[in-house]
Structures are given as structure tokens and as C-alpha cells.
Amino acid sequence: MACLMAGAGITGVFSSAHLSSRAAFSSQASGFSGASTTGFVVPRGLGVRAAGEPSDKSLEVMRKFSEQYARKSDTFFCVDKGVTAVVIKGLAEHKDTLGAPLCPCRHYDDKVAEVQQGFWNCPCVPMRERKECHCMLFLTSDNDFAGNEQVLLKALRP
């Protein structure tokens, strides 16, 4: 299983050997608690924020969506809440920049075209059809990394 979180400003590849246990996963994922960004932008009157940082509004919208979809699909968030936070942050950033929550865990040559196609907009087609979430945001109860929570803390920012 590989995970490329390029859309969230994070690049990391995990092989199936790295993901052989929860402990190994937690130690690998702990280094990816957030994106490193430089520079500042002033987005749509929201004030100054670091480039690549989603708005508070989009973070809240994606948090609520994630909770609602987890309940609807009978899935759970990862035991490592850092994974959940990074994915939601990436979805929120794409919502701000592209107008849709494009999966942040994939590389795209043309993000705008991908948004228009809709296949990788969250929840993506593999998730809707087979409950397969590449980002590990929505996990079935039989997944080794699934926690037992379908609700997140309101604050996703440190």
C-alpha cells in the first residue's frame, strides 16, 4: 500500500512492509503531522494565512462531512488521528483552491480536469462502490488501522 499525500503538501511513500503493524504505522506517520509551507497569501478576504493552509471554514465543512460520511458508510477514522487530520486538511485545501474536495493522497497532472471528472472527489468512486479509501480517512471495522471513532474533535489545527 502506498500513500502519496502530495495534495496536502506532504510526500511520503509507505510500502506494505512499513504498514505491517499499527506501531510501525504510527511511527512512520508521526512525522507527517502537517505540511511545511512558506510564503503568505491573502485569500478571499479571510485574512493572512500561510500558503497551502486551508481556511477555517473549509476545515470545519470537511470535518462535518467526514463525520457524517463515516456514520453513513459505517466506517471509522484511523487510530492515528494525525493521518485523519492531514487528509481532512488536504481536502479542505482543495475545496478552497479547486472548489471541490479532491483526494489529497494522489498525484494529478491536471487537478482542475480531475475535479471536473469527479472520480477522485471525496468520497471517491472506490470508496462509494467498495468502501476502499486510499487516504485511510474512512476505514472499515476489519481494517487493522481502524479506530472506533466516527466523531472528531472540532479543532483540527494545532
Side-chain angles (χ1 to χ4, degrees):
M1 175 185 289
C3 185
L4 178 66
M5 301 180 111
I10 298 168
T11 305
V13 178
F14 300 102
S15 68
S16 57
H18 288 118
L19 297 177
S20 61
S21 72
R22 286 184 183 190
F25 177 74
S26 294
S27 68
Q28 290 289 328
S30 64
F32 298 116
S33 61
S36 172
T37 58
T38 58
F40 292 92
V41 296
V42 180
R44 298 179 288 246
L46 296 174
V48 176
R49 62 184 168 102
E53 291 291 318
S55 67
D56 289 339
K57 179 181 177 183
S58 289
L59 271 175
E60 182 64 10
V61 165
M62 294 315 305
R63 180 191 67 80
K64 287 181 178 179
F65 157 77
S66 298
E67 290 177 341
Q68 182 181 25
Y69 193 77
R71 287 189 299 269
K72 177 182 173 184
S73 62
D74 194 30
T75 56
F76 300 89
F77 298 120
C78 186
V79 294
D80 184 340
K81 296 303 177 240
V83 171
T84 303
V86 167
V87 174
I88 291 175
K89 182 178 176 180
L91 290 169
E93 181 183 338
H94 282 164
K95 187 155 180 54
D96 283 343
T97 60
L98 301 169
L102 183 67
C103 174
C105 300
R106 305 187 66 78
H107 172 75
Y108 307 99
D109 290 330
D110 185 347
K111 289 182 180 181
V112 173
E114 292 291 341
V115 164
Q116 292 171 347
Q117 183 184 9
F119 188 89
W120 293 113
N121 292 345
C122 189
C124 63
V125 172
M127 180 62 207
R128 288 181 294 205
E129 291 180 353
R130 300 180 302 276
K131 290 190 179 183
E132 293 175 2
C133 181
H134 174 78
C135 295
M136 296 181 64
L137 179 58
F138 304 113
L139 301 171
T140 57
S141 60
D142 62 341
N143 187 300
D144 288 341
F145 302 106
N148 56 4
E149 296 178 18
Q150 294 175 315
V151 176
L152 300 167
L153 297 175
K154 278 199 173 198
L156 289 174
R157 292 190 194 267

